[in-house]
Amino acid sequence: MPRVSDRQRIAQDIRDKIASGEYAPGDKLPSLREMTAHYGVSAEPVRSALLILQAEGLTEGHQGKGTYVSDPK
C-alpha cells in the first residue's frame, strides 16, 4: 500500500469528521497550532490539507479568524 502523505492523511481525517457531523457547518476548525500538535507534524502539511479542503469547498478560510466548515450548497 502506498504511503499516504501527511497532508492527505490530515485532509481525509478532517473530511471524515465533517461527514460524521463531528465538525458541523459553521464550526471553527482547531487552530494551526492545535492541529500540528494533534497530528504530530509541522505547520506545512496542515496548511496544505486546509488548502485541499478549501479547494473542495468543504471549508472556508477567513484571514485572521481561522478556518470554518462550509455550509453545503
Side-chain angles (χ1 to χ4, degrees):
M1 184 172 138
R3 189 181 167 281
V4 176
S5 72
D6 285 330
R7 73 172 181 206
Q8 289 169 314
R9 174 174 63 87
I10 295 163
Q12 188 57 52
D13 187 58
I14 296 170
R15 258 188 226 110
D16 292 343
K17 288 178 174 173
I18 292 170
S20 73
E22 186 175 334
Y23 292 155
D27 280 359
K28 186 176 192 286
L29 295 184
S31 70
L32 191 63
R33 185 182 290 126
E34 289 170 317
M35 284 202 251
T36 57
H38 176 77
Y39 294 109
V41 296
S42 67
E44 199 44 54
V46 174
R47 280 200 199 95
S48 296
L50 293 174
L51 287 173
I52 292 168
L53 296 168
Q54 279 187 36
E56 293 172 357
L58 290 172
T59 63
E60 298 168 5
H62 297 282
Q63 191 63 44
K65 292 194 174 104
T67 302
Y68 295 81
V69 179
S70 297
D71 270 309
K73 304 285 181 275

